[in-house]
Amino acid sequence: MGKRSLSITGAQRRGSVDPSADAALAKMGYASELPRNLSMLSVLGMSFAIMAVPFGLSTTMYITLTDGQSVTILWGWVLVSLISLSIAASLAEICAVYPTAGGVYYWSAMLSTRKWAPIASWVTGWLTLVGNWTVTLSINFSGGQLVLSAITLWKEDFVPNQWQTVLMFWAVMMVCMLTNIFGAKYLDLINKICIYWTAASVLIILIVLLSMADTKRSGEFVFAHYDASASGWPAGWAFFVGLLQAAYTLTGYGMVAAMCEEVQNPEREVPRAIVLSVAAAGVTGVIYLIPILFVLPDVTLLLEVANGQPIGLLFKTVTGSAGGGFGLLFLILGILFFAGTGALTAASRCTYAFARDGAIPGSKIWAKVDKRFDIPLMALVLSTAVDCLLGLIYFGSSAAFNSFTGVATICLSTSYGMPILISVLRGRQAVKNSSYSLGRFGYAINIAMIGWICLAVVIFCMPVSLPVEAPTMNYASVVFAGFAMISLVWYFVNGRKNFTGPPVPQDVAPGEQVLVPGMALDAEKEGPAEVPTKDIKV
């Protein structure tokens, strides 16, 4: 790479009131360009919004209804919640040491030796970039399907065609993009509102379903019923395939590391938000799922819904009216707005962070911050365009959503696993003094999580049910391989010669703080205003 300017004039931009965080970011090799106007509660809200528990569980319900029903739905959720909490804690431990928008991509580089930092950061960066893009795609694509499913509440024979589905998906993407552009200064408020909207929605749905249901399932059905006959898989394996519902929903927590450069005291607040959001999501999921299982209508009827989104029919059946069903569905669609907007925000910041180190074709374009809106506008446009183009896969596969959820889960899970694996291989030296250290349980938790991620890569490439035909195939592995090929080709065309990873100017020990020449030794006391402009050649 060429020179990276570390001018501190950006530290005086609008919204920045944390000079010590800007100075710490400069020590990691980057100029602070984005306003620090997000709070911990806002980042927690964004993470909570991206996971969008009621929305994510509703749009993927067909998976667990096929692969095990009650046991997979409820206990699969509890199992994956505990696993996700452990992964979140492992990431928070590292985030407290390296709070930068590069997230897992930057962490992999810093935890590696200087020799291996470029390739480690390249692989991790592309995994997290594709993961951010595809999780945003899957949220908004399923959101488009859910909007169209509302029509069937009144017109039961309505079956949206491929063009209607794709156009609705594009409309949802446009709403999320425009919110990110023109509502950028309100993102803090939007993320906080998400927490209250989701909590109120879950409570309202719980009360309405339990009070209006004519009949209720038994406790044995809710907590112990297992039926995977519709899957075609062996009974035991179907349970693992069905974990995609929970794993997909509980995936986006690591994406908010990309917001580190927009938060005050990020080394404290962002790790806390990552862990708390997963804990809150796990509890929310249990509260949401148990009432649904108690009032669950005939499963065969739900699985016959043409567009694969049975939640609207479930609400209509239980409330006894299309209006009542839509009222509850509207609450879920509200969560879609927060989820789609938050996911696109995180994806654009991830794109911006990766581009400023020259790892994406046309990096100079995507790495610019638009001064009118104080956001990386072109990175936002690129993320939106990529997702809109990927939505065209639906014309070739009616099970495209399976592919989107699978590849999103695989990419984000493996991107989380890379820095954890490198940390373990280097003796966890970088995190031994972390303010969020896992202590003596660190090795066991990290190794167990790496094992889970390896298993997840296999099971989430599986189709939901057998037998499989071309239109119903899970193309997650194909999409994954396609992006891997783009990454590989670009590495040999450009990256091998020019990409050196994040600005680590020397081979440092894991966790060792790197001082930029000319930086004040005590950033908290002297602040960035006394730091002269410097260029680092990396």
Side-chain angles (χ1 to χ4, degrees):
M1 283 188 305
K3 296 181 178 180
R4 178 174 288 101
S5 175
L6 292 184
S7 171
I8 53 80
T9 55
Q12 307 302 323
R13 73 219 180 289
R14 292 167 290 169
S16 179
V17 292
D18 189 3
S20 63
D22 290 345
L25 181 64
K27 290 181 181 181
M28 288 185 282
Y30 296 109
S32 186
E33 298 180 281
L34 299 169
R36 293 188 184 276
N37 52 16
L38 300 182
S39 64
M40 188 281 288
L41 187 62
S42 176
V43 177
L44 189 154
M46 175 178 288
S47 181
F48 198 62
I50 294 171
M51 287 185 282
V53 174
F55 173 77
L57 290 175
S58 297
T59 55
T60 54
M61 187 168 290
Y62 72 95
I63 297 174
T64 43
L65 289 177
T66 303
D67 291 309
Q69 299 178 25
S70 298
V71 169
T72 308
I73 291 173
L74 182 58
W75 299 115
W77 174 262
V78 172
L79 173 63
V80 175
S81 293
L82 294 174
I83 291 172
S84 299
L85 191 61
S86 298
I87 297 176
S90 299
L91 295 180
E93 185 180 45
I94 302 172
C95 183
V97 181
Y98 305 116
T100 172
V104 290
Y105 147 73
Y106 185 88
W107 304 341
S108 288
M110 288 300 294
L111 292 168
S112 300
T113 62
R114 188 62 192 139
K115 176 183 177 181
W116 291 101
I119 190 64
S121 58
W122 183 275
V123 172
T124 308
W126 273 94
L127 286 172
T128 192
L129 181 67
V130 175
N132 273 258
W133 284 343
T134 52
V135 80
T136 305
L137 164 65
S138 60
I139 288 171
N140 289 328
F141 190 88
S142 60
Q145 290 181 314
L146 200 61
V147 171
L148 290 172
S149 74
I151 299 175
T152 63
L153 296 177
W154 287 275
K155 191 176 180 181
E156 295 183 4
D157 59 347
F158 173 73
V159 179
N161 60 37
Q162 292 173 326
W163 268 112
Q164 289 169 327
T165 302
V166 171
L167 287 174
M168 182 58 70
F169 158 62
W170 284 350
V172 173
M173 285 296 305
M174 289 303 106
V175 169
C176 293
M177 184 182 76
L178 292 175
T179 302
N180 267 279
I181 295 174
F182 298 105
K185 60 183 177 181
Y186 302 113
L187 286 179
D188 183 71
L189 177 61
I190 291 172
N191 293 333
K192 291 176 182 176
I193 292 175
C194 170
I195 299 175
Y196 299 110
W197 180 283
T198 303
S201 297
V202 170
L203 185 61
I204 292 170
I205 291 171
L206 181 153
I207 294 172
V208 171
L209 290 182
L210 293 180
S211 62
M212 295 191 70
D214 293 329
T215 60
K216 294 183 178 67
R217 300 278 191 170
S218 66
E220 181 182 1
F221 177 88
V222 172
F223 296 102
H225 176 73
Y226 185 80
D227 181 6
S229 57
S231 70
W233 291 109
W237 185 248
F239 173 79
F240 288 100
V241 175
L243 293 180
L244 176 59
Q245 180 193 37
Y248 161 69
T249 304
L250 291 168
T251 295
Y253 51 85
M255 293 169 63
V256 296
M259 309 307 295
C260 278
E261 294 173 29
E262 298 172 63
V263 180
Q264 301 172 35
N265 303 310
E267 73 287 345
R268 183 182 72 233
E269 305 297 2
V270 176
R272 184 186 300 175
I274 291 173
V275 175
L276 287 178
S277 65
V278 176
V283 173
T284 302
V286 172
I287 297 173
Y288 179 70
L289 288 172
I290 289 178
I292 284 181
L293 289 174
F294 268 113
V295 302
L296 194 71
D298 179 62
V299 174
T300 304
L301 184 68
L302 295 177
L303 289 176
E304 289 175 352
V305 174
N307 67 353
Q309 297 294 337
I311 193 67
L313 178 60
L314 187 153
F315 288 156
K316 177 183 176 180
T317 304
V318 175
T319 59
S321 70
F326 179 75
L328 297 182
L329 188 63
F330 177 78
L331 298 174
I332 303 297
L333 292 175
I335 297 173
L336 158 67
F337 167 75
F338 295 113
T341 300
L344 189 56
T345 303
S348 66
R349 302 314 191 263
C350 173
T351 304
Y352 156 77
F354 203 34
R356 68 183 174 183
D357 287 326
I360 306 175
S363 287
K364 291 183 179 180
I365 300 173
W366 321 123
K368 292 181 179 179
V369 175
D370 188 285
K371 299 305 179 184
R372 293 170 297 172
F373 304 106
D374 276 333
I375 61 171
L377 180 60
M378 295 310 298
L380 176 66
V381 171
L382 176 63
S383 300
T384 304
V386 169
D387 283 351
C388 287
L389 290 174
L390 284 174
L392 297 175
I393 293 176
Y394 188 66
F395 288 110
S397 170
S398 59
F401 180 52
N402 295 352
S403 306
F404 303 151
T405 54
V407 76
T409 307
I410 290 169
C411 286
L412 286 179
S413 296
T414 49
S415 73
Y416 298 162
M418 282 292 288
I420 297 173
L421 174 61
I422 296 170
S423 178
V424 168
L425 292 176
R426 299 204 71 187
R428 287 177 43 84
Q429 292 299 307
V431 296
K432 64 181 179 182
N433 295 319
S434 171
S435 56
Y436 284 84
S437 176
L438 296 176
R440 60 181 178 177
F441 300 106
Y443 270 113
I445 293 173
N446 288 170
I447 292 172
M449 293 309 98
I450 293 168
W452 158 254
I453 290 169
C454 292
L455 175 63
V457 171
V458 176
I459 60 179
F460 298 150
C461 285
M462 301 291 175
V464 172
S465 61
L466 299 176
V468 177
E469 298 177 356
T472 59
M473 178 61 185
N474 183 350
Y475 289 98
S477 56
V478 178
V479 177
F480 181 83
F483 276 112
M485 183 60 64
I486 294 172
S487 171
L488 184 65
V489 170
W490 185 242
Y491 180 77
F492 282 103
V493 170
N494 180 271
R496 184 165 52 94
K497 299 177 181 178
N498 302 316
F499 181 76
T500 57
V504 186
Q506 59 197 46
D507 191 5
V508 295
E512 179 183 338
Q513 193 173 42
V514 182
L515 282 178
V516 174
M519 283 297 295
L521 293 176
D522 191 345
E524 291 190 8
K525 292 181 180 179
E526 298 181 338
E530 299 182 21
V531 183
T533 300
K534 288 286 178 179
D535 287 338
I536 296 181
K537 293 182 179 179
V538 218

